[in-house]
Each structure stands twice: as structure tokens, then as C-alpha cells.
Amino acid sequence: MPSDGRHRRVPGLRREEVAQLASISVEYYTRVEQGRLKASAPVLATLATVLRLNQDQRSYLLELAGKDAPRPRRPHTQKVRPQTLRLLDLLGAPAIILGRRMDILAWNPLAAALLTDFSRLPDKQRNYARLVFSDSEIRERYGNWEAMAPDCVAFLRMEAARHPDDPRLSELVGDLAIKDSHFRQWWAAHNVAAQTAGVKKLNHPLVGELTLDWETLACATDPDQQIVVWTAEPGTPSHEALAFLASWVTTQPSTPAPPDAGEPARSAQPGRHHDRR
């Protein structure tokens, strides 16, 4: 709301401002607020939007009003823009695109060489948190696994707050909690995090030990997508090892990645893929 110059005794919207934003009369809103009028579910939904309530608060509002909460909408299919894919290919560093619930939507060949050949994984397994906790090769590759794995759990906690009705997120958390005691312990701690940078240590079978800085870049066209890039400090053994890995990738023959069962092949380059989930 634009400032009208009047002094506010307390923060927040005045009744007339709430009514204005909800496109209802002040009298109507006052009667709803005081419990003298039962508003319809659409009006309550509009008020919840005006007051910026989260999903749990919306459900509580509708429950207080004796209304059935609407069924959660199915999350829209995430698609990586062609322009973003081109950017991924142009980066001279390992990079992946993470979507909701840490799904791996796309990657470049160097990222596949650094971590694993994502194109050979079933769609359901292309999830960063799932790989960290259930893939023995990934688990062994991270030299500081017990230091970095809790960050994945904390990030999923943030996702659960943003998308409390996401069935695929609930399924992921349930699967990992059943299969891994560490995940159960860290999930029960209720820690949350939205880290955008850090350091990871990897034990790579081809180039040996690596100490890499990682950074996340937000996609302006989709706030639920992030580009994660790994780099090494120039002049270090890790920088030389990463350069050697990059040169090794360029010498590998380009062979089509095997398609998933019942699906056509979607990439003609090993490791370069984007998933339209």
C-alpha cells in the first residue's frame, strides 16, 4: 500500500486497507473479522492472499470458518529454458540445475564426469538429496560427507515449508527416512538452511582429491530453479585436476544416452540432458 502520510500506531494493514486490497467493503470486512458474518470460501481465500498467509495458515483460517480447505494444486511441470541450457553448456566448470525438492533437471558433461552419469539414472533417482543418501558411489566420493549431508536435509526442510502439500517431496522424505538413520536424525532436528555457497571435498577415481568451491545462481525466470557451479581456486592442485578432467571429457566419444524404458532418447551427448518434469 502506498503511504498516505498518516502515523501508524502499530505495524500492519488497517481494516480499510485490507478491505480495499480484497475488493470488499469495509463494513463487510469488519463483520467478517468480528465473526458476525460467515464469508464464502473465495472471499476467505482472497483475504488469505492479502494477508500473505502460508498454506498452513490458510488451512487454519478455513477450518476456523468451517470451510473445507481446497485441494492443493499439483505443482506445475518444471522446464528448463533453452537459453539456460545454452548457458550451462558454455560454462567451463561443472554445473547442474536443481529444481524443486533438489531434483536434478539438467547438467553439463563436466558435472557428469565429476559426480556421476545422470543420464543413466532413472528419473526418480535424479535427485541430489536422494543420491547423497542412497548412492554408495556418491557417498564415498564426498570426502566431507557427514559435514555436507546435513545441509541437504536442512534445505529439504525449507522446501517442506514452501511446499507443504507436495506429494513427491513427502515421498522423498519418507523414503530417505526409512533407508538412512542419519537422515532420520537430521530431519528430526528441524534445522533449516538456504545456503548459497560453500566448500566440498571430493575423492575422484580419475583425478584424485579435489577441494571445490560451490555457488548457487538463481534463475530469474523460475525461482524454483538454481544453477549450482563448482570451481577451484587457480594455482591449486584442485584447479589443475579439474582442468585435466575437463580435457578428458572432451576426448570422450559422443554416444547417445540410453533412453528410459518406454521413452525416446532425449540427449545425444553423454551427461548433457534436461528433464521436463
Side-chain angles (χ1 to χ4, degrees), residues 220-253:
T221 55
D222 187 344
D224 285 334
Q225 292 184 20
Q226 294 179 321
I227 302 176
V228 183
V229 184
W230 288 269
T231 60
E233 184 179 352
T236 63
S238 294
H239 187 266
E240 295 177 1
L242 199 59
F244 176 81
L245 185 63
S247 65
W248 177 84
V249 168
T250 59
T251 63
Q252 300 307 297

Short mmCIF file of all heavy atoms in Angstrom, two decimals, residues 220-253:
data_model
loop_
_atom_site.label_atom_id
_atom_site.label_comp_id
_atom_site.label_asym_id
_atom_site.label_seq_id
_atom_site.Cartn_x
_atom_site.Cartn_y
_atom_site.Cartn_z
N ALA A 220 16.30 -16.26 -12.80
CA ALA A 220 15.33 -15.17 -12.65
C ALA A 220 13.96 -15.54 -13.20
O ALA A 220 12.94 -15.05 -12.73
CB ALA A 220 15.84 -13.91 -13.36
N THR A 221 13.91 -16.45 -14.18
CA THR A 221 12.63 -16.81 -14.80
C THR A 221 11.88 -17.87 -14.02
O THR A 221 10.70 -18.11 -14.28
CB THR A 221 12.86 -17.31 -16.23
OG1 THR A 221 13.82 -18.39 -16.20
CG2 THR A 221 13.39 -16.20 -17.12
N ASP A 222 12.54 -18.53 -13.07
CA ASP A 222 11.88 -19.55 -12.25
C ASP A 222 12.58 -19.60 -10.90
O ASP A 222 13.68 -20.14 -10.78
CB ASP A 222 11.95 -20.93 -12.93
CG ASP A 222 11.13 -21.99 -12.19
OD1 ASP A 222 10.78 -21.76 -11.02
OD2 ASP A 222 10.84 -23.04 -12.79
N PRO A 223 11.96 -19.05 -9.85
CA PRO A 223 12.61 -19.02 -8.54
C PRO A 223 12.82 -20.40 -7.94
O PRO A 223 13.57 -20.55 -6.98
CB PRO A 223 11.63 -18.19 -7.69
CG PRO A 223 10.32 -18.28 -8.40
CD PRO A 223 10.65 -18.38 -9.85
N ASP A 224 12.17 -21.43 -8.51
CA ASP A 224 12.35 -22.79 -8.01
C ASP A 224 13.50 -23.51 -8.71
O ASP A 224 13.69 -24.70 -8.50
CB ASP A 224 11.06 -23.60 -8.20
CG ASP A 224 10.00 -23.22 -7.18
OD1 ASP A 224 10.37 -22.74 -6.09
OD2 ASP A 224 8.80 -23.40 -7.46
N GLN A 225 14.25 -22.81 -9.55
CA GLN A 225 15.40 -23.41 -10.21
C GLN A 225 16.67 -22.66 -9.82
O GLN A 225 16.67 -21.44 -9.71
CB GLN A 225 15.24 -23.38 -11.73
CG GLN A 225 14.13 -24.28 -12.25
CD GLN A 225 14.08 -24.30 -13.76
OE1 GLN A 225 15.05 -23.97 -14.44
NE2 GLN A 225 12.94 -24.70 -14.31
N GLN A 226 17.74 -23.44 -9.61
CA GLN A 226 19.03 -22.85 -9.26
C GLN A 226 20.13 -23.55 -10.05
O GLN A 226 20.08 -24.78 -10.23
CB GLN A 226 19.31 -23.00 -7.77
CG GLN A 226 18.38 -22.20 -6.86
CD GLN A 226 18.72 -22.41 -5.40
OE1 GLN A 226 19.04 -23.51 -4.98
NE2 GLN A 226 18.65 -21.34 -4.63
N ILE A 227 21.10 -22.78 -10.49
CA ILE A 227 22.29 -23.35 -11.13
C ILE A 227 23.37 -23.49 -10.07
O ILE A 227 23.73 -22.51 -9.41
CB ILE A 227 22.78 -22.45 -12.28
CG1 ILE A 227 21.68 -22.25 -13.33
CG2 ILE A 227 24.02 -23.06 -12.94
CD1 ILE A 227 22.08 -21.30 -14.44
N VAL A 228 23.87 -24.68 -9.88
CA VAL A 228 24.95 -24.94 -8.93
C VAL A 228 26.23 -25.16 -9.71
O VAL A 228 26.29 -26.02 -10.60
CB VAL A 228 24.65 -26.17 -8.05
CG1 VAL A 228 25.75 -26.36 -7.01
CG2 VAL A 228 23.29 -26.01 -7.37
N VAL A 229 27.27 -24.38 -9.39
CA VAL A 229 28.54 -24.42 -10.13
C VAL A 229 29.66 -24.75 -9.15
O VAL A 229 29.73 -24.18 -8.06
CB VAL A 229 28.82 -23.08 -10.83
CG1 VAL A 229 30.09 -23.17 -11.67
CG2 VAL A 229 27.63 -22.65 -11.69
N TRP A 230 30.56 -25.65 -9.58
CA TRP A 230 31.74 -26.00 -8.79
C TRP A 230 32.98 -25.41 -9.46
O TRP A 230 33.18 -25.59 -10.68
CB TRP A 230 31.91 -27.51 -8.68
CG TRP A 230 30.94 -28.20 -7.80
CD1 TRP A 230 31.06 -28.47 -6.46
CD2 TRP A 230 29.66 -28.76 -8.19
NE1 TRP A 230 29.96 -29.14 -5.99
CE2 TRP A 230 29.08 -29.33 -7.04
CE3 TRP A 230 28.96 -28.81 -9.39
CZ2 TRP A 230 27.84 -29.95 -7.05
CZ3 TRP A 230 27.72 -29.43 -9.42
CH2 TRP A 230 27.18 -29.99 -8.26
N THR A 231 33.82 -24.73 -8.70
CA THR A 231 35.06 -24.17 -9.23
C THR A 231 36.20 -24.46 -8.25
O THR A 231 35.97 -24.80 -7.09
CB THR A 231 34.96 -22.65 -9.45
OG1 THR A 231 34.67 -22.02 -8.19
CG2 THR A 231 33.86 -22.31 -10.46
N ALA A 232 37.43 -24.31 -8.76
CA ALA A 232 38.61 -24.50 -7.92
C ALA A 232 39.46 -23.24 -7.97
O ALA A 232 39.52 -22.55 -8.98
CB ALA A 232 39.42 -25.70 -8.39
N GLU A 233 40.13 -22.94 -6.88
CA GLU A 233 40.98 -21.75 -6.82
C GLU A 233 42.16 -21.91 -7.78
O GLU A 233 42.85 -22.93 -7.76
CB GLU A 233 41.49 -21.55 -5.40
CG GLU A 233 42.31 -20.29 -5.21
CD GLU A 233 42.78 -20.11 -3.78
OE1 GLU A 233 42.34 -20.88 -2.91
OE2 GLU A 233 43.60 -19.18 -3.54
N PRO A 234 42.40 -20.92 -8.63
CA PRO A 234 43.51 -21.00 -9.59
C PRO A 234 44.84 -21.23 -8.89
O PRO A 234 45.09 -20.69 -7.81
CB PRO A 234 43.47 -19.64 -10.30
CG PRO A 234 42.05 -19.18 -10.16
CD PRO A 234 41.59 -19.69 -8.83
N GLY A 235 45.68 -22.03 -9.53
CA GLY A 235 47.01 -22.29 -8.98
C GLY A 235 47.07 -23.42 -7.98
O GLY A 235 48.16 -23.76 -7.51
N THR A 236 45.95 -24.00 -7.65
CA THR A 236 45.92 -25.10 -6.68
C THR A 236 45.92 -26.44 -7.42
O THR A 236 45.57 -26.53 -8.60
CB THR A 236 44.66 -25.01 -5.80
OG1 THR A 236 43.50 -25.16 -6.64
CG2 THR A 236 44.61 -23.67 -5.08
N PRO A 237 46.30 -27.52 -6.71
CA PRO A 237 46.22 -28.86 -7.32
C PRO A 237 44.80 -29.21 -7.78
O PRO A 237 44.63 -29.89 -8.79
CB PRO A 237 46.69 -29.78 -6.20
CG PRO A 237 47.58 -28.93 -5.35
CD PRO A 237 46.95 -27.56 -5.38
N SER A 238 43.79 -28.72 -7.06
CA SER A 238 42.40 -29.00 -7.44
C SER A 238 42.06 -28.33 -8.78
O SER A 238 41.33 -28.90 -9.60
CB SER A 238 41.44 -28.51 -6.36
OG SER A 238 41.61 -29.25 -5.17
N HIS A 239 42.61 -27.13 -8.99
CA HIS A 239 42.38 -26.43 -10.26
C HIS A 239 43.01 -27.20 -11.41
O HIS A 239 42.39 -27.37 -12.49
CB HIS A 239 42.96 -25.02 -10.18
CG HIS A 239 42.63 -24.17 -11.37
ND1 HIS A 239 43.48 -24.06 -12.45
CD2 HIS A 239 41.53 -23.41 -11.65
CE1 HIS A 239 42.94 -23.25 -13.35
NE2 HIS A 239 41.76 -22.85 -12.90
N GLU A 240 44.22 -27.71 -11.22
CA GLU A 240 44.88 -28.49 -12.26
C GLU A 240 44.14 -29.80 -12.52
O GLU A 240 43.97 -30.23 -13.66
CB GLU A 240 46.33 -28.77 -11.84
CG GLU A 240 47.20 -27.52 -11.73
CD GLU A 240 48.59 -27.84 -11.25
OE1 GLU A 240 48.88 -29.05 -11.01
OE2 GLU A 240 49.40 -26.91 -11.09
N ALA A 241 43.65 -30.43 -11.43
CA ALA A 241 42.93 -31.69 -11.58
C ALA A 241 41.61 -31.48 -12.32
O ALA A 241 41.21 -32.30 -13.15
CB ALA A 241 42.67 -32.31 -10.20
N LEU A 242 40.93 -30.37 -12.02
CA LEU A 242 39.66 -30.08 -12.69
C LEU A 242 39.90 -29.79 -14.17
O LEU A 242 39.11 -30.20 -15.03
CB LEU A 242 38.97 -28.90 -12.01
CG LEU A 242 37.47 -28.73 -12.27
CD1 LEU A 242 36.70 -29.97 -11.82
CD2 LEU A 242 36.96 -27.50 -11.51
N ALA A 243 41.01 -29.11 -14.49
CA ALA A 243 41.35 -28.85 -15.88
C ALA A 243 41.65 -30.15 -16.62
O ALA A 243 41.27 -30.33 -17.79
CB ALA A 243 42.54 -27.90 -15.95
N PHE A 244 42.34 -31.07 -15.94
CA PHE A 244 42.62 -32.37 -16.56
C PHE A 244 41.32 -33.13 -16.81
O PHE A 244 41.15 -33.76 -17.87
CB PHE A 244 43.54 -33.18 -15.66
CG PHE A 244 43.80 -34.58 -16.18
CD1 PHE A 244 44.74 -34.79 -17.17
CD2 PHE A 244 43.08 -35.65 -15.68
CE1 PHE A 244 44.97 -36.08 -17.66
CE2 PHE A 244 43.31 -36.93 -16.17
CZ PHE A 244 44.26 -37.15 -17.16
N LEU A 245 40.41 -33.08 -15.85
CA LEU A 245 39.11 -33.76 -16.02
C LEU A 245 38.35 -33.17 -17.20
O LEU A 245 37.72 -33.90 -17.98
CB LEU A 245 38.30 -33.65 -14.74
CG LEU A 245 36.96 -34.41 -14.70
CD1 LEU A 245 37.21 -35.91 -14.83
CD2 LEU A 245 36.20 -34.11 -13.41
N ALA A 246 38.42 -31.85 -17.36
CA ALA A 246 37.74 -31.20 -18.48
C ALA A 246 38.33 -31.64 -19.81
O ALA A 246 37.60 -31.89 -20.78
CB ALA A 246 37.82 -29.69 -18.34
N SER A 247 39.65 -31.76 -19.87
CA SER A 247 40.29 -32.22 -21.11
C SER A 247 39.95 -33.67 -21.39
O SER A 247 39.78 -34.07 -22.55
CB SER A 247 41.80 -32.03 -21.02
OG SER A 247 42.36 -32.86 -20.01
N TRP A 248 39.82 -34.46 -20.34
CA TRP A 248 39.43 -35.87 -20.51
C TRP A 248 38.02 -35.97 -21.07
O TRP A 248 37.75 -36.82 -21.94
CB TRP A 248 39.53 -36.58 -19.16
CG TRP A 248 39.08 -38.02 -19.21
CD1 TRP A 248 39.84 -39.10 -19.58
CD2 TRP A 248 37.79 -38.53 -18.86
NE1 TRP A 248 39.10 -40.26 -19.49
CE2 TRP A 248 37.83 -39.93 -19.06
CE3 TRP A 248 36.63 -37.94 -18.41
CZ2 TRP A 248 36.73 -40.75 -18.81
CZ3 TRP A 248 35.52 -38.74 -18.17
CH2 TRP A 248 35.57 -40.13 -18.37
N VAL A 249 37.12 -35.11 -20.61
CA VAL A 249 35.74 -35.13 -21.09
C VAL A 249 35.68 -34.84 -22.58
O VAL A 249 34.92 -35.47 -23.33
CB VAL A 249 34.87 -34.11 -20.31
CG1 VAL A 249 33.52 -33.90 -20.98
CG2 VAL A 249 34.67 -34.57 -18.87
N THR A 250 36.50 -33.90 -23.05
CA THR A 250 36.45 -33.52 -24.46
C THR A 250 36.96 -34.62 -25.38
O THR A 250 36.66 -34.61 -26.58
CB THR A 250 37.29 -32.25 -24.71
OG1 THR A 250 38.64 -32.50 -24.34
CG2 THR A 250 36.74 -31.08 -23.90
N THR A 251 37.71 -35.57 -24.85
CA THR A 251 38.24 -36.66 -25.69
C THR A 251 37.32 -37.86 -25.74
O THR A 251 37.58 -38.80 -26.51
CB THR A 251 39.61 -37.12 -25.17
OG1 THR A 251 39.47 -37.67 -23.85
CG2 THR A 251 40.59 -35.97 -25.15
N GLN A 252 36.24 -37.85 -24.92
CA GLN A 252 35.34 -38.99 -24.90
C GLN A 252 34.41 -38.96 -26.10
O GLN A 252 33.91 -37.90 -26.48
CB GLN A 252 34.52 -39.00 -23.61
CG GLN A 252 35.38 -39.10 -22.35
CD GLN A 252 36.35 -40.26 -22.41
OE1 GLN A 252 35.94 -41.42 -22.47
NE2 GLN A 252 37.64 -39.95 -22.39
N PRO A 253 34.12 -40.11 -26.71
CA PRO A 253 33.21 -40.15 -27.86
C PRO A 253 31.80 -39.79 -27.46
O PRO A 253 31.36 -40.13 -26.36
CB PRO A 253 33.30 -41.60 -28.34
CG PRO A 253 33.71 -42.37 -27.13
CD PRO A 253 34.63 -41.45 -26.36
#
